[in-house]
Amino acid sequence: MSWTYADLVVDPRPELPDSPLWTRLLRKTVLLEDKSIAEKLLRHFWTLRAAGTIIRNTHIGIRLQPILESDGGDWESEDFFNEIRRTILAPYADVIKTLLMNVVEEG
């Protein structure tokens, strides 16, 4: 299947209460100056969200948090989510932190 940016800026889980945050995150990601990073992050974010990931503002900062299978998500465990996060998101940690801060501040 061929994806376009238009496909990837639509929240695949609009039924979740943080959908406005995800919509802003996906749309801001497209606007990144480095289009190679923008495309990678957009695909990663969309996939994580589709599996059931929420944006939470916690006492330790803004975080992506999995919704486990037992709670209606597709993540089998928090450990598995953390492994995926380290593998695909860690190289872009600074960019992601900035994106998330901007998204939450606007909300």
Side-chain angles (χ1 to χ4, degrees):
M1 177 176 200
S2 179
W3 294 93
T4 66
Y5 278 137
D7 297 320
L8 297 173
V9 296
V10 176
D11 182 0
R13 298 293 300 265
E15 77 280 6
L16 296 174
D18 66 337
S19 185
L21 294 175
W22 275 93
T23 298
R24 282 197 298 274
L25 176 62
L26 296 171
R27 290 181 179 168
K28 285 189 172 296
T29 301
V30 171
L31 300 176
L32 289 173
E33 189 173 320
D34 186 325
K35 295 306 176 193
S36 173
I37 291 175
E39 183 178 348
K40 287 176 189 172
L41 283 179
L42 193 58
R43 290 175 187 272
H44 294 327
F45 287 153
W46 194 94
T47 302
L48 292 173
R49 177 59 168 184
T53 303
I54 58 173
I55 298 171
R56 296 204 68 165
N57 196 357
T58 70
H59 67 286
I60 58 172
I62 303 158
R63 304 187 50 81
L64 296 177
Q65 181 177 330
I67 301 173
L68 303 179
E69 289 174 343
S70 60
D71 296 322
D74 292 333
W75 296 103
E76 63 188 50
S77 71
E78 194 155 345
D79 288 339
F80 179 63
F81 172 80
N82 289 332
E83 178 183 329
I84 297 297
R85 189 179 67 187
R86 278 190 300 275
T87 303
I88 67 172
L89 297 183
Y92 312 103
D94 291 338
V95 174
I96 293 168
K97 182 178 179 179
T98 299
L99 283 168
L100 288 172
M101 286 183 356
N102 289 337
V103 163
V104 170
E105 286 173 2
E106 287 181 10

